[in-house]
């Protein structure tokens, strides 16, 4: 059974139709990426899947008892709200100290538990959000533009972390992203949105689809090729990649 | 012991301060300060309604505060551009309340007791109402604490974890209306919001978690309530405003401490 399935889903945002007639499903263990230009309805779709946005038409079916780990696009913490990392990952449910230690370690931020959330760097903040989502023991991990505000090595490192997490937990992953070249080839399926489902399929199918090219141009074709090399650990740009790796490792250690 | 009006006043002040503090934390975390203003200023309309219909004052105020809070939360949500709307509602409610009370036939109503409270005239029955309401607010908050925090941080995140942010908003709205209804006797419609916001804001520099901030706010609110009561007896000043003045003085000290804190830390 699918984790979540939508049939003929239509969504409104501020009175306007944001997304029309979406048939979508995600199965256990799948990695699905949603791409699309700004205002194409990506975030609206995610919000409908988690139940925060009521469908204007159509239906969303969640598997009974489905546990979702949600990493929001941004999380503004008011300066008047004191919040340590430890307290934050205990929301909305209390977790055991062992579970918290493990989740922070899995997310790559083992030593931050006592820090204030507002003092974290962008990369640390995203990893803490990830740790909190992992503590939900999710069947489905949902990430909404999770690498916004991270530099390129930072977001590459973050996606590697996601990949590892999925291998460890076996959860399905649903991502919304702008980082096409980093994200797409790691996915089993890509869904391209622009007010409706433009095209859908494996990363290669979507990258070759005329609808996709019309939205993103052919430039991304090159980026995807570059990515394929990265992913398969071929020779392309080894020195450069090695450097990036070192940079990100160092960042993680400093954190 | 309860025969002494000063003891009754002290207990009434403590009851309001202790329940208002944690609720006030949510009011400032969610940036609902104007929301608190509008709701508490609407209390005066509730007084007019109660006097006109022979309802108990508390019931009238509770009813109107609840309606006002529901209307505002429906109109504005958490939209920042609702700032102006909330300002309009807060002051219109106050003005309409003043007009409505003055229109009541055949009654000479002592307005200032509703605007600034009348803590020295608290009866045993008032005390029971105040503590009943304070305990209700405290229980509501304790019961929903984590869910309220999650919804305050990010409604979508709360929703994804199986929560219901709209319900949490309603619970806060209800708690606020109860608070306003029981606090009007103690500090009056004009200053209820002050008892919500000032102790919570004062507590901020001392806290590292939401819970410690709420506990600090309760302590600071209690100090302000008792200190204000004593000061008003000593200097023969109105009690409600004296309590708020002490709270404001504590806030000034805490702010000074907060700005000195980084320098102190550097010195190690």
């Amino acid at each position: 059974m699918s984790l979540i399935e939508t049939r003929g889903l239509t969504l409104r945002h501020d009175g306007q139709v944001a997304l029309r007639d979406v048939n979508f499903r995600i199965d256990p263990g799948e990695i699905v990426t949603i791409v699309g230009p700004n205002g194409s309805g990506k975030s609206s779709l995610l919000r409908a899947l988690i139940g925060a946005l009521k469908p204007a038409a159509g239906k969303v079916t969640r598997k009974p008892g489905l546990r979702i780990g949600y990493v929001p696009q941004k999380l503004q913490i008011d300066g008047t709200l004191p919040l340590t990392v430890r307290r934050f990952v205990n929301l909305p449910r209390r977790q055991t100290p062992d579970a918290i230690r493990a989740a922070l370690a899995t997310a790559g931020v083992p030593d931050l538990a006592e820090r204030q959330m507002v003092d974290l760097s962008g990369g640390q903040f995203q990893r803490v959000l990830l740790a909190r989502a992992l503590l939900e023991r999710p069947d489905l991990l949902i990430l909404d533009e999770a690498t916004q505000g991270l530099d390129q090595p930072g977001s590459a490192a973050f996606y590697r972390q996601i990949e590892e997490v999925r291998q460890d937990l076996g959860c399905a992953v649903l991502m919304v992203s702008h980082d096409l070249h980093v994200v797409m080839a790691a996915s089993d399926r890509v869904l391209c949105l622009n007010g409706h489902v433009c095209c859908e399929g494996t990363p290669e199918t979507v990258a070759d689809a005329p609808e996709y090219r019309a939205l993103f141009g052919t430039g991304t074709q090159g980026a995807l090729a570059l990515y394929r090399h990265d992913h398969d650990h071929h020779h392309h740009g080894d020195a450069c990649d090695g450097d990036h790796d070192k940079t990100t490792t160092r960042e993680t250690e400093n954190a | 012991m309860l025969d002494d009006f000063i003891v009754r006043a002290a207990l009434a002040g403590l009851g309001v301060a202790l329940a208002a503090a944690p609720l006030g934390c949510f009011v400032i975390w969610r940036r609902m300060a104007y929301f608190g203003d509008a709701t508490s200023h609407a209390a005066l309309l509730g007084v007019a309604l109660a006097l006109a219909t022979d309802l108990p004052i508390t019931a009238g105020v509770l009813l109107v505060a609840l309606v006002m809070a529901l209307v505002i939360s429906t109109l504005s949500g958490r939209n920042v551009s609702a700032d102006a709307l909330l300002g309009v509602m807060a002051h219109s409610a106050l003005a309409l309340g003043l007009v409505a009370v003055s229109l009541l036939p055949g009654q000479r109503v002592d307005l200032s007791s509703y605007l600034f409270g009348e803590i020295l005239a608290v009866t045993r029955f008032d005390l029971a109402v105040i503590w009943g309401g304070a305990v209700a607010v405290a229980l509501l908050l304790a019961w929903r604490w984590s869910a309220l925090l999650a919804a305050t941080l990010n409604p979508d995140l709360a929703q994804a974890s199986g929560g219901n942010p709209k319900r949490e908003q309603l619970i806060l709205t209800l708690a606020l209306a109860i608070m306003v209804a029981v606090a009007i006797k103690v500090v009056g419609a004009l200053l209820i919001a002050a008892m919500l916001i000032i102790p919570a804001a004062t507590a901020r520099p001392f806290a590292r978690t939401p819970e410690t901030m709420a506990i600090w706010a309760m302590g600071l609110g209690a100090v302000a309530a008792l200190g204000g009561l004593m000061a008003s007896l000593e200097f023969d000043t109105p009690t409600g405003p004296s309590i708020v003045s002490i709270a404001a003085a504590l806030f000034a000290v805490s702010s000074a401490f907060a700005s000195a804190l980084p320098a102190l830390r550097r010195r190690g």
Side-chain angles (χ1 to χ4, degrees):
Chain A
M1 182 186 180
S2 297
L3 299 175
I4 300 189
E5 186 164 4
T6 76
R7 289 202 167 276
L9 181 68
T10 294
L11 299 171
R12 284 174 181 280
H13 185 70
D14 289 338
Q16 305 225 320
V17 173
L19 205 52
R20 245 178 311 120
D21 199 26
V22 176
N23 296 311
F24 171 80
R25 55 183 286 180
I26 182 163
D27 292 329
E30 259 194 314
I31 302 190
V32 177
T33 297
I34 302 174
V35 299
N38 285 333
S40 60
K42 302 184 301 264
S43 287
S44 296
L45 177 57
L46 286 196
R47 297 192 68 226
L49 294 179
I50 62 173
L53 188 60
K54 281 224 172 67
K59 210 173 136 182
V60 179
T61 318
R62 272 173 289 269
K63 195 182 105 178
L66 176 71
R67 285 192 305 267
I68 296 177
Y70 179 63
V71 179
Q73 185 171 28
K74 56 174 186 254
L75 201 151
Q76 204 79 49
I77 294 187
D78 199 279
T80 59
L81 176 58
L83 196 62
T84 56
V85 168
R86 178 182 303 286
R87 185 66 190 91
F88 173 73
V89 297
N90 270 305
L91 288 174
R93 274 173 278 278
R94 290 274 174 192
Q95 307 286 347
T96 64
D98 283 343
I100 292 171
R101 210 173 301 125
L104 288 174
T106 309
V109 281
D111 303 321
L112 295 185
E114 305 310 326
R115 293 271 289 277
Q116 286 286 311
M117 291 292 287
V118 288
D119 293 339
L120 301 181
S121 73
Q124 292 170 336
F125 198 94
Q126 288 304 325
R127 284 185 160 75
V128 169
L129 290 181
L130 175 64
R132 195 210 65 86
L134 295 179
L135 282 166
E136 306 264 2
R137 287 172 289 279
D139 308 305
L140 172 61
L141 191 59
I142 297 185
L143 303 114
D144 188 1
E145 306 258 9
T147 57
Q148 223 182 28
L150 298 190
D151 58 12
Q152 209 145 31
S155 46
F158 187 77
Y159 283 120
R160 271 199 296 280
Q161 201 97 51
I162 300 289
E163 182 90 53
E164 280 171 30
V165 162
R166 190 191 69 108
Q167 271 158 18
D168 288 352
L169 301 184
C171 57
V173 179
L174 177 63
M175 295 184 277
V176 158
S177 186
H178 274 126
D179 304 315
L180 305 177
H181 55 295
V182 187
V183 145
M184 275 175 61
S187 316
D188 299 315
R189 260 189 312 131
V190 175
L191 192 72
C192 177
L193 293 183
N194 190 24
H196 61 283
V197 179
C198 275
C199 51
E200 190 183 358
T202 63
E204 289 79 8
T205 322
V206 169
D208 290 338
E211 295 90 344
Y212 174 83
R213 296 225 192 156
L215 280 178
F216 292 101
T218 46
T220 50
Q221 178 66 5
L224 186 61
L226 172 70
Y227 172 75
R228 278 178 194 144
H229 283 283
D230 286 352
H231 187 58
D232 296 333
H233 301 286
H234 277 311
H235 48 84
H236 176 85
D238 261 356
C240 176
D241 277 329
D243 257 324
H244 280 181
D245 278 338
K246 258 181 241 152
T247 321
T248 50
T249 321
R250 226 179 297 132
E251 269 176 7
T252 319
E253 278 166 3
N254 285 345
Chain B
M1 185 181 88
L2 292 178
D3 290 338
D4 188 339
F5 75 97
I6 294 175
V7 173
R8 288 198 303 271
L11 287 175
L14 273 181
V16 167
L18 292 179
L23 181 58
C25 289
F26 279 106
V27 169
I28 68 173
W29 294 334
R30 296 170 77 100
R31 304 192 168 221
M32 288 165 61
Y34 253 133
F35 191 101
D37 264 348
T39 307
S40 54
H41 288 177
L44 215 55
L45 271 175
V47 170
L49 175 78
L51 292 175
T53 57
D54 281 336
L55 271 175
I57 298 285
T58 314
V61 172
L62 181 62
L63 190 69
V64 173
L66 197 56
V67 169
M68 182 72 167
L70 285 174
V71 167
I72 310 172
S73 81
T74 316
L75 285 181
S76 63
R78 298 180 66 195
N79 193 340
V80 183
S81 70
D83 197 45
L85 174 69
L86 286 172
V88 170
M89 302 280 279
H91 299 111
S92 319
L94 184 61
L96 281 173
L98 290 169
V99 170
V101 171
S102 77
L103 282 179
L104 289 173
Q107 301 219 33
R108 287 290 298 149
V109 179
D110 178 16
L111 258 183
S112 76
S113 72
Y114 296 111
L115 287 176
F116 302 111
E118 220 180 3
I119 191 174
L120 297 179
V122 164
T123 63
R124 281 163 181 259
F125 176 74
D126 291 334
L127 207 51
V129 170
I130 288 167
W131 273 88
V135 168
V137 168
L139 286 180
L140 268 180
L141 292 181
W143 172 47
R144 304 303 309 164
W145 186 264
S146 264
L148 280 167
L149 265 181
T152 298
L153 269 176
N154 184 308
D156 286 352
L157 191 145
Q159 182 95 41
S161 306
N164 183 344
K166 289 213 179 79
R167 183 183 59 201
E168 310 309 340
Q169 167 83 34
L170 268 179
I171 283 170
L172 271 188
T173 304
L174 177 64
L176 197 59
I178 298 175
M179 198 67 237
V180 168
V182 302
I184 189 168
K185 186 87 182 180
V186 174
V187 284
L190 282 182
L191 294 175
I192 293 169
M195 283 311 283
L196 288 168
I197 294 161
I198 300 178
T202 308
R204 173 62 185 96
F206 305 110
R208 285 179 49 77
T209 63
E211 289 77 14
T212 48
M213 178 160 155
I215 290 167
W216 270 98
M218 290 168 83
L220 290 161
V223 168
L226 297 181
L229 178 61
M230 291 196 310
S232 82
L233 294 172
E234 178 74 26
F235 303 110
D236 196 22
T237 49
T239 311
S242 303
I243 291 175
V244 175
S245 301
I246 300 280
L250 291 173
F251 176 77
V253 172
S254 146
S255 303
F257 172 78
S259 50
L261 197 60
L264 289 175
R265 277 208 186 123
R266 264 201 304 281
R267 224 175 287 163

